[in-house]
């Protein structure tokens, strides 16, 4: 039986609830077939983006999950439907990867182009991990265009030693290495957006 509300009662102040924390159950529901392959490995421009996710002590976080969004090689932001169905031909600019039991992740993707003339190209990355009340946002910048990196407003707003946590390392085979540290001395710079604050 419903109770009538009392108009004389003080207004109840509700606190916002946290976002969903990640747990081992994410391994069953969210990863999907070829979710980490934005392009097929046979694509002539394909590269490997990989690294590790660690906590403040440098211990790998094996049950985290990552998502990336990026422009294509020409700097076009792709807006195609069907991101969850990988046909091996269509680049949708979005991918999701579960981290393995030693904290390592890998994506097969393209080097993104700059979305504007003179801007530094980057990949957006979101981290979901145990102990996080909400996801974390960051960027992965390509290391080559040092002039564009120096002129980037976000990077310019950071202390020089912190900027390096957002710039990937190009490996000899063309792969990008980007390690993510959630806390500690080498903590990756994470971003906040007004809507997400």
């Amino acid at each position: 039986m419903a109770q009538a509300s009392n108009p004389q009662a003080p207004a109840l102040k509700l606190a916002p609830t946290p976002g969903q924390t990640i747990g081992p159950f994410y391994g069953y529901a969210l990863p999907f077939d070829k979710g980490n392959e934005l392009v097929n490995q046979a694509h002539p421009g394909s590269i490997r983006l990989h690294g590790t996710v660690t906590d403040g002590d440098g211990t790998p976080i094996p049950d985290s999950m990552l998502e990336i969004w990026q422009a294509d090689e020409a700097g076009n932001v792709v807006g195609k439907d069907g991101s969850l169905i990988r046909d091996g031909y269509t680049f949708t600019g979005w991918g999701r990867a579960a981290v393995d039991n030693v904290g390592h992740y890998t994506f097969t993707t393209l080097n993104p182009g700059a979305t504007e003339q003179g801007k530094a190209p980057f990949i957006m990355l979101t981290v979901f991990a145990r102990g996080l009340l909400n996801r974390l946002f960051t960027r992965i910048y390509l290391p080559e265009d040092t002039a564009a990196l120096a002129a980037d407003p976000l990077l310019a707003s950071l202390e020089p030693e912190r900027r390096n946590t957002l710039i990937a390392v190009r490996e000899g085979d063309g792969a990008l290495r980007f390690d993510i540290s959630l806390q500690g001395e080498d903590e990756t710079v994470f971003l906040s957006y007004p809507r997400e604050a």
Side-chain angles (χ1 to χ4, degrees):
M1 181 173 180
Q3 295 183 350
S5 62
N6 181 351
Q8 308 235 336
L12 182 62
K13 191 170 187 179
L14 300 175
T17 58
Q20 178 63 54
T21 57
I22 191 166
F25 50 85
Y26 268 10
Y28 299 106
L30 293 177
F32 60 96
D33 190 36
K34 298 183 181 181
N36 65 330
E37 293 181 20
L38 283 72
V39 295
N40 189 288
Q41 290 179 351
H43 185 285
S46 70
I47 61 160
R48 180 180 185 215
L49 167 64
H50 71 111
T52 57
V53 182
T54 56
D55 64 17
D57 295 325
T59 303
I61 302 176
D63 56 359
S64 54
M65 187 181 70
L66 307 177
E67 291 182 349
I68 61 171
W69 291 267
Q70 69 171 88
D72 66 13
E73 292 171 301
N76 299 312
V77 177
V78 181
K80 294 197 182 286
D81 294 335
S83 291
L84 296 178
I85 300 170
R86 303 297 180 172
D87 63 9
Y89 301 97
T90 307
F91 178 77
T92 62
W94 178 80
R96 179 183 288 158
V99 174
D100 68 16
N101 62 345
V102 292
H104 188 258
Y105 72 91
T106 188
F107 288 96
T108 305
T109 189
L110 303 171
N111 285 310
T115 56
E116 295 179 45
Q117 186 76 20
K119 296 285 186 179
F122 63 86
I123 298 169
M124 291 294 303
L125 180 127
T126 302
V127 180
F128 300 85
R130 61 180 150 93
L132 294 178
L133 296 180
N134 264 315
R135 62 194 183 268
L136 299 174
F137 301 95
T138 193
R139 287 183 178 183
I140 305 169
Y141 285 93
L142 304 187
E144 288 81 16
D145 191 343
T146 54
L149 291 172
D152 184 83
L154 174 63
L155 291 175
S157 72
L158 301 172
E159 296 294 325
E161 63 275 6
R162 302 286 289 135
R163 291 177 197 151
N164 290 333
T165 70
L166 297 182
I167 301 171
V169 173
R170 184 72 70 182
E171 296 182 321
D173 63 357
L176 288 172
R177 173 90 191 200
F178 187 76
D179 294 326
I180 303 158
S181 179
L182 299 187
Q183 290 181 320
E185 188 176 322
D186 297 321
E187 179 181 339
T188 302
V189 171
F190 295 106
L191 311 174
S192 64
Y193 295 96
R195 258 188 5 198
E196 300 296 330

